[in-house]
Amino acid sequence: MAHTSGSFELIVLGCSGGPLSGKTCAFLLKPAHVSFEQILKEQQSHLIALDAGSGLETVADIVADCRNNTNNVSSYLTGLYPDSEPLHHYSDISSLTTARPFNSAVLQLNKSNLELARAIISKISAYFITHAHLDHIAGLVINSPGFSGSTKVHGSEETIDTLKNHIFNGKVWPDLDYIQYKAFPSTPAFQKVGQAMHLKAYPTSHGLIHSKFRYKSAAFLIREDTKDDHILVFGDVESDPSSNTNYIEQIWSDVAELVLSKQLRTIVIECSSVDKAPSEPLFGHMSPLNLIKEFSQLSKICSQKNPTTKHPLQGINVLIIHVKETFDGTGDPRKKILNKLRQLNLEHDLGLHFTMCMPGLSYII
Ligand SMILES: Nc1ncnc2c1ncn2[C@@H]1O[C@@H]2COP(=O)(O)O[C@H]2[C@H]1O
């Protein structure tokens, strides 16, 4: 049975911001109405990958959890800290549907956990990479010799150049001829992905290289065609005031109408650390104050477009990813970040609903 309550199923393989080397950012996305059973049978797949910091090993672990009724993957990140809470503590919305990604029809197939994981990974129709930092590509790289044939990898010109010349270059990793690179259009535009989705890639700023050159990441607006619904997924990103650019403002201006018409109800975005003193670097990332300022800006843009809407962001789901693990003995950074976001959300009267993403779960949105 496919999940039918939402438009998309976002399967979180990893969402840590490091420096932990496992469970870093990797997501599978498909229309919610299409089941994995169908995906495994069909020729033309509905499944896409957004970043690939984790891969085959996590899918195999999720299959094992589904088969054994355990929660090893979904409790992985919360299990790191002594003050961690049960999963439901990390979401504002009890109505946000989470599920185990694979149902009995898939799990009953006569395959080992690893064989089933490979069968699922081999149905990814294309990888969309926000930027080439290792924590977003490690799964793609290490898994690539096991791919069954041509593999499409989409990214900005800069990301593709880095992957081709600095990763898949015969030295760091074999230059595999079945990887087909495809650059995003220079002006953001929807392109068909999978069988019933379209994706538009926007550039974002992810800090400076050697304090000089802007390092770009990306954000993806994805449309589910049958329901004309959308999800916005950011890779690593810093706020416009931090970067002194207007990349995020351009995205907000482009999506404001969709927010107003309730055709964009979920935004997946990073919040890597707690707020820092101005002298401390954020390394091209968000903290709660910066993120809430960005959402206030989106709210303002929406209100300018439609002054009669009082709380344009009311009910928007914000899924937080890329929290950095900490070693300072002060406990779970996800709790601190979430508490601060909740407090600022109330103070700014935004009406957002926050969820800390966890690996091993499907979010039906
Ligand atoms: N100059 C630096 N010193 C120490 N750590 C850094 C420095 N620059 C970047 N980083 C870290 O390296 C990480 C690379 O991935 P992220 O962008 O997720 O987050 C980055 C920071 O946590």
Side-chain angles (χ1 to χ4, degrees), residues 16-19 131 133-136 206 208 215 236 270 272 281-285 322 324:
S16 170
H131 65 297
H133 274 170
L134 286 172
D135 56 325
H136 295 255
H206 180 21
L208 295 177
Y215 187 70
D236 293 6
E270 71 137 282
S272 287
L282 285 168
F283 299 122
H285 291 291
H322 203 272
K324 290 200 167 288

Side-chain angles (χ1 to χ4, degrees), residues 31-47:
H33 71 272
V34 180
S35 68
F36 270 106
E37 190 185 1
Q38 184 181 338
I39 284 174
L40 285 170
K41 280 187 196 145
E42 67 192 5
Q43 279 289 326
Q44 304 289 321
S45 181
H46 283 84
L47 188 67

Side-chain angles (χ1 to χ4, degrees), residues 130-152:
T130 60
H131 65 297
H133 274 170
L134 286 172
D135 56 325
H136 295 255
I137 63 165
L140 169 67
V141 177
I142 307 274
N143 295 166
S144 59
F147 291 160
S148 47
S150 88
T151 303
K152 295 193 188 84

Side-chain angles (χ1 to χ4, degrees), residues 277-297:
S279 56
E280 283 186 85
L282 285 168
F283 299 122
H285 291 291
M286 289 282 185
S287 68
L289 271 171
N290 292 341
L291 184 54
I292 290 292
K293 271 190 212 152
E294 289 300 341
F295 279 118
S296 300
Q297 190 61 17

